[in-house]
Amino acid sequence: MVEWTEFERTTIQDIFSKMNYDVVGQQSLARCLVVYPWTQRYFGNFGNLYNAAAIMGNPMVAAHGRVVLHGLDKAVKNMDNIKAAYAELSVLHSEKLHVDPDNFRLLGDCLTVVVAAQLGAAFTPEVQAAFQKFLAVVISSLQRQYH
Amino acid sequence: MSLTAKDKAAVKDLWAKISGKADDIGQDALSRMLVVYPQTKTYFSHWKDLSPGSAPVRKHGKTVMSGVADAVSKIDDLTSGLLNLSELHAFQLRVDPANFKILSHNILVVLATMFPDDFTPEAHVAMDKFLSALALALSEKYR
């Protein structure tokens, strides 16, 4: 069981309650596809991903970014048992989507950068620590059912 | 994943915009590293104060960023350009190279908070590649 401090719980609830899922989802996934281009391997049917401008403007990327970000809601609402909450999603990513789990970390890093840009100075070191701990738990849970 | 001409131009372009705040960037990145990755504190047991923004953290942030500035000027041959720094890190400091990735990540986060409009995805990928190449050059003399 992951132990969360009051500060960590409040920080995570706060960040996600104020988040613009459309913007942050689109920006995070698009940034991931630009910064780590090999991640494009999972999106062969998304059309034009030929350059950064195309990726940033691609509507399928935007839509999927939103889906992925809303996937985090499960963790935000079940912070005391993220592992159980993600069991099905983990099986999905492993058995059906065949996603290399290292990609979770790459997307997580891009999400951190986007949230940092949104929050500016409010993204203090302590807030960053809470956010990264949260993402680490999500990532670990998503990897749990891989075998 | 070596630096293309486009990468180098993007790095120099971004550097021109951010170099004025190099000291702040260094101090903030180091502060975050020590808070978010507490294992990195093991390298600074000789400091009186490891809290964010403390005097030793500010001073060391400056030192680190002047190394980064030096690397920008030697971007066409980081390996030879950073030989002395590599020897320092390999034989004296003996910092585990995994930590270069950690500090790089925090530099990128700081750039996002301080320069949200300039730290575009294109600038991000170029900077990430540059910091990775820098880390590789710093590891050159390790073994």
Side-chain angles (χ1 to χ4, degrees), chain A residues 63-129:
Chain A
H64 196 66
R66 196 179 312 131
V67 166
V68 168
L69 204 56
H70 277 295
L72 285 176
D73 284 342
K74 238 191 240 289
V76 177
K77 295 191 172 100
N78 293 286
M79 279 180 76
D80 287 315
N81 204 346
I82 295 178
K83 193 165 67 177
Y86 274 80
E88 263 185 61
L89 271 173
S90 179
V91 170
L92 175 80
H93 283 76
S94 163
E95 310 279 298
K96 188 158 173 257
L97 304 175
H98 307 292
V99 177
D100 179 338
D102 197 54
N103 292 282
F104 305 147
R105 177 184 63 85
L106 300 180
L107 180 58
D109 281 352
C110 286
L111 178 59
T112 302
V113 164
V114 170
V115 169
Q118 296 265 314
L119 298 181
F123 198 64
T124 63
E126 292 78 8
V127 167
Q128 181 184 344

Side-chain angles (χ1 to χ4, degrees), chain A residues 28-90:
Chain A
S28 305
L29 184 59
R31 191 168 281 253
C32 188
L33 296 172
V34 170
V35 178
Y36 309 108
W38 53 95
T39 58
Q40 292 169 26
R41 74 188 305 281
Y42 301 105
F43 304 104
N45 63 330
F46 271 29
N48 188 355
L49 298 177
Y50 298 136
N51 53 46
I55 292 170
M56 298 308 288
N58 186 308
M60 288 181 83
V61 170
H64 196 66
R66 196 179 312 131
V67 166
V68 168
L69 204 56
H70 277 295
L72 285 176
D73 284 342
K74 238 191 240 289
V76 177
K77 295 191 172 100
N78 293 286
M79 279 180 76
D80 287 315
N81 204 346
I82 295 178
K83 193 165 67 177
Y86 274 80
E88 263 185 61
L89 271 173
S90 179

Side-chain angles (χ1 to χ4, degrees), chain A residues 31 34-38 52-53 56 109-110 112-113 116-117 120-121 123-126 128-129 132, chain B residues 1 28 31-32 35-37 52 101 105-106 108-109 112-114 116 119-122 124-125 128:
Chain A
R31 191 168 281 253
V34 170
V35 178
Y36 309 108
W38 53 95
M56 298 308 288
D109 281 352
C110 286
T112 302
V113 164
F123 198 64
T124 63
E126 292 78 8
Q128 181 184 344
Q132 290 195 199
Chain B
M1 296 194 254
D28 199 351
S31 297
R32 283 171 194 279
V35 168
V36 182
Y37 303 88
K101 246 191 220 185
H105 168 74
N106 285 295
L108 296 176
V109 168
T113 64
M114 287 175 73
F119 196 58
T120 61
E122 293 96 318
H124 180 165
V125 61
D128 191 22

Side-chain angles (χ1 to χ4, degrees), chain B residues 77-99:
Chain B
D77 192 349
L78 289 169
T79 313
S80 11
L82 301 179
L83 261 174
N84 288 338
L85 271 176
S86 182
E87 284 182 1
L88 174 74
H89 284 76
F91 304 128
Q92 282 187 50
L93 303 176
R94 287 178 286 202
V95 175
D96 189 316
N99 295 288

Side-chain angles (χ1 to χ4, degrees), chain B residues 39-86:
Chain B
Q39 70 271 23
T40 58
K41 294 195 287 189
T42 56
Y43 290 97
F44 304 104
S45 50
H46 55 287
W47 285 357
K48 273 209 171 78
D49 186 357
L50 284 156
S51 56
S54 70
V57 170
R58 268 185 287 118
K59 179 163 177 261
H60 197 61
K62 255 178 133 157
T63 307
V64 167
M65 288 313 279
S66 62
V68 174
D70 191 35
V72 174
S73 72
K74 294 171 175 162
I75 201 167
D76 289 318
D77 192 349
L78 289 169
T79 313
S80 11
L82 301 179
L83 261 174
N84 288 338
L85 271 176
S86 182

